[in-house]
Amino acid sequence: MTTTTAHPGASPGASDATATPEDAATAATPMDRRLFVSALLDQVPDALVVTGLGSASYDVFAHGEREQNFYLWGAMGGSVPVGLGLALAQPEKSVVVVTGDGEMLMGIGSLGSAAVRAPENLTVLVLDNGHFGETGMQRSHSGSAPDSSTLRGASESPTAERSTPSMR
């Protein structure tokens, strides 16, 4: 399983068929979410694509409607479990889950199941736009932090003692 997070600053825009995910990810300006999603989907034209709520569905639909797209309106937190089920049931097909940070937070426990089963044909892309769009545009954890690296480093105190519990 591959997990990727696209960070704040995304804005809807027109699709550019010549762009690659690397172009969108390394641009000096904030990442264009729709361009990134379109470029990613260009790389996996035969993949089964599962979307979370809101912008993720809009971005996948903007790339072009296909029978292999599964839009999960009304199933907040369900994109990774559905993607995992598809990946396990159809191991010969690539499965891509495109979801947002709020929808992923709602179904965070499903990442544990996906990690344990670890299907090589499953990719999870979490689009982090810094707010929760489906519930009223509240700022998310990453949208509230002055620098997302502070979130990553919060548990890495130099004085913290680290130990590994025994599995006996």
Side-chain angles (χ1 to χ4, degrees):
M1 176 182 78
T2 304
T3 305
T4 304
T5 303
H7 290 283
S11 61
S15 173
D16 179 352
T18 62
T20 67
E22 293 80 17
D23 294 337
T26 59
T29 58
M31 183 185 310
D32 182 306
R33 186 191 68 237
R34 190 156 292 169
L35 174 66
F36 181 85
V37 170
S38 182
L40 171 74
L41 295 177
D42 282 342
Q43 302 292 317
V44 288
D46 298 324
L48 301 175
V49 180
V50 179
T51 70
L53 300 175
S55 297
S57 289
Y58 298 137
D59 295 340
V60 170
F61 183 80
H63 182 263
E65 174 55 19
R66 309 173 315 125
E67 289 184 9
Q68 298 91 344
N69 293 350
F70 301 92
Y71 306 101
L72 296 186
W73 287 107
M76 192 166 194
S79 61
V80 170
V82 169
L84 175 60
L86 283 171
L88 294 173
Q90 299 191 39
E92 72 286 352
K93 294 187 179 185
S94 177
V95 178
V96 177
V97 174
V98 181
T99 192
D101 51 327
E103 198 270 349
M104 188 68 260
L105 187 59
M106 181 68 88
I108 197 74
S110 63
L111 287 178
S113 297
V116 167
R117 296 304 298 265
E120 292 185 18
N121 61 327
L122 176 63
T123 299
V124 176
L125 170 66
V126 179
L127 302 168
D128 181 359
N129 60 1
H131 64 269
F132 302 130
E134 291 301 304
T135 59
M137 301 300 280
Q138 302 89 350
R139 282 189 305 175
S140 67
H141 297 81
S142 65
S144 299
D147 177 1
S148 62
S149 66
T150 61
L151 297 174
R152 186 178 330 110
S155 66
E156 297 176 6
S157 169
T159 60
E161 186 177 320
R162 298 193 188 266
S163 65
T164 304
S166 173
M167 297 300 283
R168 295 175 205 208

